[in-house]
Amino acid sequence: TPNYLCDAKAMQRIHFSSLDPSRPRFIVVMRDPVMRAFSEWSMFALAWNWDAERNFTSAMEGKLSALRRCNETLFDQPLLLETLPTEELAEYVQSCYRQGRAMMYPQLSMYAPCILHALRYFRREQFLFLRYEDLMKMSAEAIVRLVGHFSGLHLDAELVAQAVEGGKCQPSHREHSAPPPGSNPPPA
């Protein structure tokens, strides 16, 4: 999720706890940033009632103002992110993206700083970047094959075909439901 990708400490932990840091594989599904932010806001504000701000524009303005206040220089000059030492980039992502916490709508929709930080620990070849919009157009079989090829997992062609034909590789069409009663919202 963008939550883990934007948690600088998570990327560091994955790197340093790996027996061989060249082996992990990451699949990053990126969505149109505004649509992703709107989807997350809709879930937290309208479906689950965890965000009291019922106006998407107001929610985004508030989050973007907070991001600007966090570091005005980097907000106004994002290309400077590439020049930051790894520790400073990690601090920026950790503090301004609030450890990748939920309800950070615009931050988690701005993938570049989080990816830039992750690439300080892992090679580009360890990432499969997919656009959500493209993924939704792909057949289930193509997705299984793509992920299998990228991850290095052996895929038995007959088993993949049986799963696809049997409907076991179809996307769920269920609506997102509210969390179980008594659940607590994620920390803000």
Side-chain angles (χ1 to χ4, degrees):
T1 72
N3 304 77
Y4 291 117
L5 185 64
C6 291
D7 182 347
K9 290 181 182 176
M11 289 292 109
Q12 293 167 346
R13 283 191 304 269
I14 293 168
H15 175 81
F16 291 119
S17 66
S18 297
L19 293 176
D20 180 355
S22 69
R23 298 200 40 111
R25 297 291 180 261
F26 302 90
I27 300 171
V28 180
V29 178
M30 298 178 291
R31 190 172 186 180
D32 171 275
V34 174
M35 293 306 297
R36 199 218 72 80
F38 182 77
S39 177
E40 184 184 19
W41 169 82
S42 296
M43 180 177 68
F44 285 113
L46 304 179
W48 295 356
N49 295 313
W50 288 0
D51 187 336
E53 181 55 68
R54 299 287 187 239
N55 180 290
F56 177 66
T57 301
S58 296
M60 290 294 285
E61 286 172 349
K63 302 290 184 181
L64 286 169
S65 292
L67 181 59
R68 176 184 283 278
R69 283 190 310 275
C70 184
N71 189 315
E72 265 193 64
T73 301
L74 293 175
F75 186 90
D76 292 335
Q77 300 176 54
L79 292 178
L80 291 177
L81 290 166
E82 294 180 78
T83 66
L84 292 179
T86 300
E87 298 77 25
E88 288 181 37
L89 180 58
E91 176 56 34
Y92 172 75
V93 171
Q94 210 52 19
S95 62
C96 296
Y97 281 55
R98 308 257 339 255
Q99 299 91 17
R101 289 183 181 162
M103 298 192 293
M104 300 305 295
Y105 316 122
Q107 289 91 327
L108 297 181
S109 299
M110 295 182 213
Y111 303 102
C114 303
I115 291 169
L116 182 62
H117 178 260
L119 289 173
R120 301 284 176 99
Y121 293 95
F122 301 100
R123 294 184 331 271
R124 167 61 181 91
E125 298 79 34
Q126 292 175 258
F127 291 85
L128 174 61
F129 295 101
L130 299 170
R131 285 178 6 122
Y132 172 84
E133 295 80 4
D134 295 336
L135 193 61
M136 292 297 102
K137 295 176 187 174
M138 294 174 67
S139 71
E141 184 174 358
I143 294 169
V144 170
R145 291 190 188 287
L146 176 65
V147 170
H149 177 74
F150 170 72
S151 65
L153 295 175
H154 168 72
L155 294 176
D156 182 284
E158 187 176 321
L159 287 176
V160 171
Q162 287 174 2
V164 170
E165 289 170 15
K168 294 180 181 172
C169 286
Q170 299 305 313
S172 171
H173 294 287
R174 294 180 304 178
E175 292 294 319
H176 287 289
S177 59
S183 298
N184 292 322

